Tab-separated table of all heavy atoms in Angstrom:
chain	number	residue	atom	x	y	z
V	296	GLU	N	50.346	25.323	2.700
V	296	GLU	CA	51.030	24.021	2.555
V	296	GLU	C	50.743	23.441	1.150
V	296	GLU	O	51.661	23.004	0.458
V	296	GLU	CB	50.500	23.083	3.642
V	296	GLU	CG	51.079	21.683	3.603
V	296	GLU	CD	50.207	20.712	4.415
V	296	GLU	OE1	49.737	21.090	5.516
V	296	GLU	OE2	49.998	19.589	3.917
V	297	TYR	N	49.484	23.463	0.735
V	297	TYR	CA	49.103	22.880	-0.556
V	297	TYR	C	49.775	23.611	-1.722
V	297	TYR	O	50.187	22.992	-2.700
V	297	TYR	CB	47.585	22.934	-0.737
V	297	TYR	CG	46.821	21.809	-0.079
V	297	TYR	CD1	45.435	21.741	-0.163
V	297	TYR	CD2	47.479	20.793	0.624
V	297	TYR	CE1	44.719	20.708	0.426
V	297	TYR	CE2	46.767	19.762	1.223
V	297	TYR	CZ	45.382	19.731	1.115
V	297	TYR	OH	44.674	18.709	1.695
V	298	LEU	N	49.879	24.932	-1.607
V	298	LEU	CA	50.449	25.692	-2.740
V	298	LEU	C	51.973	25.582	-2.770
V	298	LEU	O	52.607	25.936	-3.765
V	298	LEU	CB	50.015	27.158	-2.671
V	298	LEU	CG	48.531	27.411	-2.964
V	298	LEU	CD1	48.183	28.881	-2.788
V	298	LEU	CD2	48.150	26.972	-4.381
V	299	ASP	N	52.578	25.107	-1.665
V	299	ASP	CA	54.025	24.893	-1.601
V	299	ASP	C	54.749	26.165	-2.085
V	299	ASP	O	55.519	26.125	-3.054
V	299	ASP	CB	54.374	23.664	-2.481
V	299	ASP	CG	55.806	23.208	-2.233
V	299	ASP	OD1	56.340	23.514	-1.145
V	299	ASP	OD2	56.397	22.596	-3.146
V	300	LEU	N	54.461	27.268	-1.387
V	300	LEU	CA	54.895	28.587	-1.868
V	300	LEU	C	56.396	28.807	-1.763
V	300	LEU	O	57.042	28.320	-0.836
V	300	LEU	CB	54.164	29.664	-1.071
V	300	LEU	CG	52.638	29.641	-1.225
V	300	LEU	CD1	51.983	30.630	-0.290
V	300	LEU	CD2	52.220	29.907	-2.667
V	301	ASP	N	56.946	29.544	-2.729
V	301	ASP	CA	58.332	30.012	-2.589
V	301	ASP	C	58.485	31.424	-3.153
V	301	ASP	O	57.567	31.948	-3.788
V	301	ASP	CB	59.334	29.001	-3.152
V	301	ASP	CG	59.491	29.064	-4.644
V	301	ASP	OD1	59.663	30.183	-5.175
V	301	ASP	OD2	59.440	28.008	-5.295
V	302	ARG	N	59.635	32.015	-2.919
V	302	ARG	CA	59.884	33.439	-3.189
V	302	ARG	C	59.666	33.871	-4.638
V	302	ARG	O	59.470	35.040	-4.910
V	302	ARG	CB	61.325	33.810	-2.791
V	302	ARG	CG	61.570	33.730	-1.331
V	302	ARG	CD	61.677	35.148	-0.737
V	302	ARG	NE	61.451	35.061	0.708
V	302	ARG	CZ	60.416	35.601	1.323
V	302	ARG	NH1	59.496	36.252	0.657
V	302	ARG	NH2	60.281	35.489	2.623
V	303	GLU	N	59.730	32.933	-5.557
V	303	GLU	CA	59.567	33.291	-6.970
V	303	GLU	C	58.113	33.187	-7.435
V	303	GLU	O	57.789	33.522	-8.576
V	303	GLU	CB	60.455	32.386	-7.853
V	303	GLU	CG	61.946	32.674	-7.723
V	303	GLU	CD	62.249	34.173	-7.871
V	303	GLU	OE1	61.834	34.777	-8.871
V	303	GLU	OE2	62.854	34.738	-6.937
V	304	ASP	N	57.245	32.716	-6.564
V	304	ASP	CA	55.860	32.467	-6.988
V	304	ASP	C	55.051	33.746	-7.187
V	304	ASP	O	55.182	34.707	-6.422
V	304	ASP	CB	55.131	31.608	-5.936
V	304	ASP	CG	55.569	30.163	-5.991
V	304	ASP	OD1	56.054	29.725	-7.045
V	304	ASP	OD2	55.447	29.473	-4.954
V	305	ILE	N	54.188	33.666	-8.191
V	305	ILE	CA	53.177	34.715	-8.397
V	305	ILE	C	51.824	34.000	-8.254
V	305	ILE	O	51.617	32.926	-8.842
V	305	ILE	CB	53.321	35.374	-9.774
V	305	ILE	CG1	54.729	35.995	-9.871
V	305	ILE	CG2	52.235	36.422	-9.997
V	305	ILE	CD1	55.045	36.637	-11.202
V	306	VAL	N	50.947	34.582	-7.426
V	306	VAL	CA	49.710	33.875	-7.063
V	306	VAL	C	48.486	34.736	-7.347
V	306	VAL	O	48.474	35.923	-7.030
V	306	VAL	CB	49.720	33.520	-5.544
V	306	VAL	CG1	48.545	32.604	-5.192
V	306	VAL	CG2	51.028	32.887	-5.110
V	307	TYR	N	47.464	34.132	-7.912
V	307	TYR	CA	46.148	34.768	-7.997
V	307	TYR	C	45.316	34.299	-6.803
V	307	TYR	O	45.292	33.097	-6.496
V	307	TYR	CB	45.412	34.347	-9.282
V	307	TYR	CG	45.624	35.285	-10.438
V	307	TYR	CD1	46.433	34.930	-11.521
V	307	TYR	CD2	44.983	36.525	-10.462
V	307	TYR	CE1	46.608	35.797	-12.596
V	307	TYR	CE2	45.160	37.395	-11.538
V	307	TYR	CZ	45.967	37.031	-12.598
V	307	TYR	OH	46.129	37.895	-13.643
V	308	ASP	N	44.627	35.247	-6.144
V	308	ASP	CA	43.683	34.913	-5.069
V	308	ASP	C	42.305	35.390	-5.559
V	308	ASP	O	41.985	36.574	-5.464
V	308	ASP	CB	44.110	35.631	-3.774
V	308	ASP	CG	43.149	35.410	-2.621
V	308	ASP	OD1	42.208	34.593	-2.765
V	308	ASP	OD2	43.320	36.060	-1.558
V	309	LEU	N	41.519	34.447	-6.116
V	309	LEU	CA	40.214	34.823	-6.662
V	309	LEU	C	39.168	34.812	-5.550
V	309	LEU	O	39.182	33.917	-4.710
V	309	LEU	CB	39.794	33.839	-7.764
V	309	LEU	CG	40.788	33.624	-8.906
V	309	LEU	CD1	40.195	32.663	-9.944
V	309	LEU	CD2	41.168	34.933	-9.572
V	310	TYR	N	38.271	35.792	-5.557
V	310	TYR	CA	37.240	35.956	-4.524
V	310	TYR	C	37.934	36.235	-3.180
V	310	TYR	O	37.728	35.526	-2.200
V	310	TYR	CB	36.353	34.709	-4.413
V	310	TYR	CG	35.833	34.175	-5.727
V	310	TYR	CD1	36.536	33.201	-6.443
V	310	TYR	CD2	34.645	34.650	-6.248
V	310	TYR	CE1	36.060	32.715	-7.648
V	310	TYR	CE2	34.158	34.164	-7.456
V	310	TYR	CZ	34.871	33.198	-8.157
V	310	TYR	OH	34.396	32.710	-9.340
V	311	CYS	N	38.766	37.280	-3.160
V	311	CYS	CA	39.707	37.460	-2.030
V	311	CYS	C	39.101	38.140	-0.819
V	311	CYS	O	39.771	38.253	0.209
V	311	CYS	CB	40.930	38.222	-2.513
V	311	CYS	SG	40.567	39.952	-2.904
V	312	GLY	N	37.852	38.629	-0.877
V	312	GLY	CA	37.254	39.287	0.291
V	312	GLY	C	38.100	40.480	0.714
V	312	GLY	O	38.529	41.295	-0.111
V	313	ILE	N	38.394	40.589	2.009
V	313	ILE	CA	39.177	41.730	2.512
V	313	ILE	C	40.677	41.445	2.451
V	313	ILE	O	41.469	42.082	3.144
V	313	ILE	CB	38.763	42.103	3.947
V	313	ILE	CG1	38.937	40.904	4.893
V	313	ILE	CG2	37.329	42.605	3.984
V	313	ILE	CD1	38.858	41.279	6.359
V	314	GLY	N	41.039	40.457	1.632
V	314	GLY	CA	42.458	40.203	1.379
V	314	GLY	C	43.142	39.286	2.381
V	314	GLY	O	44.376	39.216	2.417
V	315	THR	N	42.348	38.586	3.175
V	315	THR	CA	42.946	37.754	4.230
V	315	THR	C	43.968	36.750	3.688
V	315	THR	O	45.113	36.737	4.127
V	315	THR	CB	41.831	36.999	4.999
V	315	THR	OG1	40.823	36.625	4.073
V	315	THR	CG2	41.213	37.857	6.078
V	316	MET	N	43.542	35.931	2.712
V	316	MET	CA	44.456	34.907	2.164
V	316	MET	C	45.651	35.559	1.475
V	316	MET	O	46.795	35.139	1.652
V	316	MET	CB	43.727	34.055	1.118
V	316	MET	CG	43.086	32.801	1.604
V	316	MET	SD	44.223	31.624	2.285
V	316	MET	CE	45.354	31.394	0.983
V	317	SER	N	45.373	36.601	0.671
V	317	SER	CA	46.436	37.275	-0.093
V	317	SER	C	47.539	37.752	0.855
V	317	SER	O	48.730	37.537	0.598
V	317	SER	CB	45.896	38.499	-0.829
V	317	SER	OG	44.851	38.167	-1.675
V	318	LEU	N	47.104	38.419	1.943
V	318	LEU	CA	48.088	38.985	2.860
V	318	LEU	C	48.791	37.884	3.653
V	318	LEU	O	49.968	37.993	3.969
V	318	LEU	CB	47.410	39.988	3.799
V	318	LEU	CG	46.786	41.177	3.050
V	318	LEU	CD1	45.945	42.026	3.974
V	318	LEU	CD2	47.872	42.020	2.389
V	319	TYR	N	48.065	36.851	3.932
V	319	TYR	CA	48.606	35.693	4.660
V	319	TYR	C	49.752	35.045	3.857
V	319	TYR	O	50.697	34.521	4.418
V	319	TYR	CB	47.468	34.689	4.854
V	319	TYR	CG	47.558	33.879	6.119
V	319	TYR	CD1	47.229	34.429	7.347
V	319	TYR	CD2	47.950	32.551	6.067
V	319	TYR	CE1	47.294	33.666	8.497
V	319	TYR	CE2	48.014	31.781	7.216
V	319	TYR	CZ	47.685	32.350	8.430
V	319	TYR	OH	47.751	31.596	9.568
V	320	MET	N	49.630	35.114	2.507
V	320	MET	CA	50.628	34.453	1.657
V	320	MET	C	51.755	35.394	1.236
V	320	MET	O	52.829	34.936	0.844
V	320	MET	CB	49.959	33.965	0.350
V	320	MET	CG	48.905	32.938	0.513
V	320	MET	SD	48.289	32.382	-1.103
V	320	MET	CE	47.499	33.824	-1.736
V	321	ALA	N	51.460	36.710	1.265
V	321	ALA	CA	52.323	37.676	0.576
V	321	ALA	C	53.801	37.602	0.950
V	321	ALA	O	54.671	37.681	0.084
V	321	ALA	CB	51.793	39.084	0.813
Side-chain angles (χ1 to χ4, degrees):
E296 178 197 319
Y297 277 180
L298 290 177
D299 192 23
L300 298 174
D301 81 48
R302 293 253 161 246
E303 289 310 307
D304 285 337
I305 300 178
V306 189
Y307 267 107
D308 177 7
L309 306 182
Y310 312 91
C311 70
I313 58 167
T315 37
M316 267 298 304
S317 303
L318 298 171
Y319 212 76
M320 297 184 294

